[in-house]
Amino acid sequence: MRFDTKLVHEGQRTSSGHGDVIPPIHVAVTFDQFAQDPARHYYARGESPTREDLEACLAALEDVRFALAFSSGQAAAAAVLSLLEPGARVVASDDVYGGTHGLFELCRRRGVHVRQVDLSDAEVVASALTGSVDLVWVETPTNPLMKIADIAAVSAAAHRVGATVLVDNTFASPALQQPLAAGADVSLHSTTKFIAGHSDVLGGALVLDDPDLHRRLAAHRTVVGGVPGAFDCYLVHRGLKTLSLRVARQVANARAAVEALVASPFVGAVHYPGLPDHPQSGLAARQMSAPGSMVSFEYLGDVAELMRGTTLFAAAVSLGGVRSLIECPASMSHRSVPRDVRLRAGVTDDLVRLSFGIEDPLDLVEDLTAAMAAASWAERSVAR
Ligand code: PLP
């Protein structure tokens, strides 16, 4: 089966005898041990049929054997980091989601060394991946600066020093980027975003092919309990079926708006891997089937006014849903990151991040253009 068919057909076990065309939602949290042959389900913190249906689909989308669904992207990320012993060494992208910065801080407090570097720079990768490294944490495209790391090159360098490679694939989704096929070991998704796609359910997932790592992560999840309930799994799986259709429209909308942003006198640098002057545009074109629908840009006026001025873009964190969103990373998604760390990574106070939904592109461009023109930008000169 090809990708778009898998979205609809994988993980669709129907055994009720009613002829359901989608699987029923299994709400039981405990399972009669003598009513199953063979006994597969015991207690829903460990295993649950509706979660397994979602996991079967997620694994199939990346052509591997295993997926583990979690209650949030953060719970999935925390599971991987929890396997590290004090003294372990992690090399990670410098520009990552604010919550990932928080998880790295927790790691540092328990004696795990986390070094954040610019993994979009091949020379930095070569010098950082030497000696003993246990885990390489790649976010690509990065949140919010849209930097692109070469997954194949980073994975090859990491494997030479015996490190496991995790790619946070949240910004691209499996529809646009396949990290495991490129050589990574684990694909992490906040399924809250593109995979579920409607901003109405939290979820996370780890997708991988290594049976030993899968066993350790599954055992950890069962003990800690960061599992999604059956209804949440159903919502994520329902959203997933339209992933390709939604993403195609979202990318088209982003492209249309990027053109308007580049032409606007109110806008400085525009960060979008589909732009020819993006530093890794060639790599993005090879590694991703499209440049995605996340865009950030430097706004030369008052960011708060701009966010208040848009009518179709909700001023909200998160991303990947059917409704377009606008946010200021410095004061919203990355506000928990210490200012000096944030500025060192390049996340300035005037950076605006857009997540494109599936609305009509003309409406989005008109709304954004009107809001930019209306917003006050008095004290900033527009020298372009
Ligand atoms: N990874 C990235 C790139 C994110 O943007 C987010 C959330 O915004 C997460 C992980 C965490 O996901 P969740 O909010 O589902 O815990």
Side-chain angles (χ1 to χ4, degrees), residues 64-66 68 180 185-186 206-210 213-214 217:
V64 292
R65 284 174 284 179
F66 310 110
L68 290 164
L180 301 175
D185 303 296
V186 182
L206 298 171
V207 181
L208 68 166
D209 204 43
D210 178 336
L213 187 55
H214 171 254
L217 287 165

Side-chain angles (χ1 to χ4, degrees), residues 149-297:
D150 186 333
I151 298 172
V154 172
S155 299
H159 290 155
R160 277 197 290 277
V161 295
T164 298
V165 179
L166 175 144
V167 174
D168 185 334
N169 203 23
T170 299
F171 262 38
S173 91
L176 301 185
Q177 180 167 273
Q178 295 270 325
L180 301 175
D185 303 296
V186 182
S187 193
L188 164 74
H189 305 285
S190 164
T191 57
T192 314
K193 320 297 188 208
F194 290 97
I195 286 181
H198 293 73
S199 305
D200 57 3
V201 59
L202 277 175
L206 298 171
V207 181
L208 68 166
D209 204 43
D210 178 336
D212 182 53
L213 187 55
H214 171 254
R215 184 188 49 71
R216 290 164 64 214
L217 287 165
H220 179 277
R221 185 185 63 172
T222 301
V223 170
V224 175
V227 289
F231 291 108
D232 283 359
C233 289
Y234 168 75
L235 276 178
V236 173
H237 202 165
R238 175 181 158 129
L240 186 53
K241 293 185 171 72
T242 54
L243 178 71
S244 289
L245 296 173
R246 284 185 281 110
V247 165
R249 178 57 169 263
Q250 287 168 303
V251 171
N253 285 352
R255 286 188 197 273
V258 161
E259 239 177 73
L261 288 172
V262 168
S264 169
F266 308 108
V267 171
V270 178
H271 307 287
Y272 183 61
L275 280 171
D277 64 356
H278 183 285
Q280 297 94 34
S281 58
L283 169 61
R286 289 196 301 280
Q287 184 165 275
M288 302 172 72
S289 56
S293 53
M294 297 300 297
V295 180
S296 60
F297 64 95

Side-chain angles (χ1 to χ4, degrees), residues 317-336:
V317 295
S318 201
L319 56 119
V322 291
R323 178 166 180 192
S324 295
L325 306 175
I326 184 168
E327 69 118 9
C328 173
S331 60
M332 296 172 72
S333 59
H334 290 62
R335 73 174 168 206
S336 60

